[in-house]
Amino acid sequence: MSTMEYDKLYVAGDWRTPAGSDRIDVRSATTEEKIGSVPEGVEADIDAAVDSARRAFDGPDSWGNWEPARRQEVLLRFADELEKRGPETASRVSQQNGMPIVVAEAFEIPFPPLLLRYYSQLVVDQADERRPGMLGGTAVIRRQPIGVVAAIVPWNVPQGITFLKIAPALAAGCTVVLKPAPETVLDAFLMAEAAVAAGLPEGVLNIVPGGRELGAYLVEHPGVDKVSFTGSTAAGRAIAETCGRLLRPVTLELGGKSAAIVLDDADLLGNIESFFASTLLNNGQICWLGTRILAPQNRYSEVVDTIAGLASNLVIGDPLERTTQIGPLVSARQRDRVESYIAKGSADGGRLAAGGGRPADRDKGWFVQPTVFADVDPNHTIAQEEIFGPVLAVIPYSDEAQAVQIANDTDYGLGGSVWTADMERGEAFARKVRTGTIGVNHYVNDPTAPFGGIKSSGMGRELGPEGLVAFQTLQTIYLPPAAAN
């Protein structure tokens, strides 16, 4: 099988010979075979990328000083080039992280160009605000690009999450140094090819792959003005400490342990596809999934049986097959992590209602069966810690007050869902849950609405106009009464 090999990094608007000699080998999550490799960035590559981004931002014809409509022309070409490569992008993502191809086609193909078009138009439509002063005169409020952005993204939805950051950043007039995760670099290099074809100006976007140490070096680089990070809560805390010391703005989208609350009138079978998408999508490798299922005691056995039936009947297989609903996990290390939580769930007294092992017909690939635990106490480890795999914990509750208490009794607050036959009841319940986002009878990140978490799930928001504000700074110009007239 031929592999995808890259020898250079995308820095300063072109392909640049890396400063180091080490490489990142990428393996198929399904076959465990090598499918490609790219250069592994070193600190000198980050220096070059930041310097390039700095020049593109500070130069006489800087990207941030372009008229928004001029930037929009470039970003629309970028969107078009990404669309041309959409099927290949989806295929690369599926091979690398095990995302079922139908999910990759729904997330990784449409979202990047959609976000580029959305945010570039949002900036075109922005205008300076003029406020009458209370002391006379006028205040003019300008929105300006914040500067050079360090964007660090994870492997689970690599292109979708990348463009949550770089689409608003580029539209605002910022320049970007992107560090993709080592597990999913082949899609990032395909995206770089689209940037070259679109004619992004030199230094506006730079891509340097590497591990945690390289990410830490980028975060504290003196040439960076803003950090946007998606990943684990532990890594997010370390980044927050660095940015706090440097007084550097930071957006953090971190872990989750969201609750899917089944009310006593819910029709789970009638909403089973939406329920699957809200709890087990992408093999459980999404931070906002509702992995704690709260079920009323008077319907507990029925709910457990329904969810166990769902998990047991999902099609496990090659993520490139269109019938596959559950593919492999991203790596052997991730599978080991998930399996350790399954063992812990059983040791703590949880009852396995479905799954719990590896598929018998798969001797290659990092597969884990969709697993459902019943009789889970809210304080059990599998009910409190993020697992990031296809493992659900079903927790009973006596009444709505207890359901709210259990839903909120977590260090996290990112996503969630409420399931009910009464939409008004569902919305009213949703308002009681302490979380950044929550859905009623479904869950979807709509591009027009802010997404992010509270507590250990992070700080700041992406998507919506709020996602653009994160890459802008405000300047106020005070005009005296005479000037105002």
Side-chain angles (χ1 to χ4, degrees), residues 368-380:
V368 173
Q369 293 174 323
T371 298
V372 178
F373 278 98
D375 305 335
V376 177
D377 184 272
N379 294 315
H380 283 175

Side-chain angles (χ1 to χ4, degrees), residues 19-368:
S21 59
D22 289 345
R23 299 186 63 80
I24 297 172
D25 288 339
V26 182
R27 297 194 172 275
S28 163
T30 307
T31 67
E32 304 179 30
E33 297 175 356
K34 178 181 173 181
I35 57 174
S37 72
V38 304
E40 182 173 9
V42 296
E43 292 182 358
D45 296 312
I46 291 291
D47 292 339
V50 173
D51 181 64
S52 172
R54 189 82 261 164
R55 292 196 310 272
F57 185 77
D58 291 337
D61 186 31
S62 72
W63 176 252
N65 284 333
W66 284 21
E67 288 296 319
R70 185 183 174 195
R71 287 199 301 270
Q72 184 184 44
E73 291 179 4
V74 176
L75 297 182
L76 292 181
R77 291 200 304 269
F78 193 16
D80 292 342
E81 293 296 336
L82 289 167
E83 280 186 332
K84 293 176 185 177
R85 294 161 176 79
E88 176 64 16
T89 296
S91 175
R92 291 190 185 191
V93 170
S94 292
Q95 292 178 69
Q96 292 173 112
N97 70 5
M99 179 185 288
I101 191 66
V102 293
V103 179
E105 290 174 347
F107 280 57
E108 301 289 73
I109 294 179
F111 267 78
L114 182 153
L115 292 173
L116 285 170
R117 291 166 181 147
Y118 171 67
Y119 280 111
S120 61
Q121 185 61 49
L122 210 60
V123 174
V124 166
D125 292 340
Q126 274 189 341
D128 293 348
E129 182 183 353
R130 305 179 78 88
R131 297 179 190 170
M134 296 179 68
L135 305 176
T138 299
V140 180
I141 294 89
R142 301 179 60 221
R143 292 170 176 82
Q144 299 177 291
I146 203 166
V148 175
V149 173
I152 301 175
V153 299
W155 46 258
N156 60 323
V157 189
Q159 287 299 295
I161 294 174
T162 289
F163 280 86
L164 294 185
K165 304 176 187 310
I166 71 173
L170 296 180
C174 299
T175 57
V176 177
V177 177
L178 172 70
K179 192 202 78 67
E183 294 86 350
T184 47
V185 290
L186 299 177
D187 56 286
F189 277 66
L190 185 63
M191 184 258 284
E193 293 177 14
V196 172
L200 261 67
E202 179 180 328
V204 166
L205 175 63
N206 309 269
I207 303 174
V208 183
R212 293 181 180 180
E213 295 79 8
L214 195 69
Y217 183 77
L218 174 61
V219 165
E220 59 184 331
H221 199 286
V224 167
D225 298 304
K226 154 89 181 185
V227 176
S228 183
F229 170 79
T230 297
S232 72
T233 296
R237 291 187 193 280
I239 290 171
E241 289 178 2
T242 298
C243 290
R245 172 171 48 83
L246 297 172
L247 297 179
R248 180 166 294 168
V250 61
T251 298
L252 301 171
E253 197 271 280
L254 308 177
K257 193 67 183 179
S258 304
I261 305 107
V262 181
L263 300 185
D264 56 15
D265 64 345
D267 177 14
L268 275 192
L269 283 176
N271 289 287
I272 202 66
E273 290 186 8
S274 292
F275 188 82
F276 164 73
S278 300
T279 57
L280 288 167
L281 193 69
N282 194 24
N283 319 325
Q285 298 179 139
I286 297 182
C287 51
W288 47 254
L289 290 174
T291 54
R292 293 182 298 146
I293 316 298
L294 277 53
Q297 284 181 338
N298 61 353
R299 294 185 59 189
Y300 187 74
S301 295
E302 173 200 345
V303 171
V304 169
D305 290 345
T306 299
I307 298 172
L310 166 66
S312 299
N313 287 289
L314 293 171
V315 178
I316 305 171
D318 186 333
L320 294 179
E321 295 290 338
R322 303 197 66 80
T323 55
T324 293
Q325 295 167 295
I326 297 290
L329 300 182
V330 69
S331 64
R333 181 178 63 182
Q334 185 65 15
R335 181 179 62 183
D336 290 345
R337 170 186 166 87
V338 171
E339 289 179 333
S340 73
Y341 275 106
I342 292 173
K344 180 64 173 172
S346 294
D348 284 347
R351 172 171 59 88
L352 272 174
R358 302 179 183 180
D361 61 341
R362 291 280 164 181
D363 59 354
K364 289 285 187 180
W366 300 304
F367 290 89
V368 173

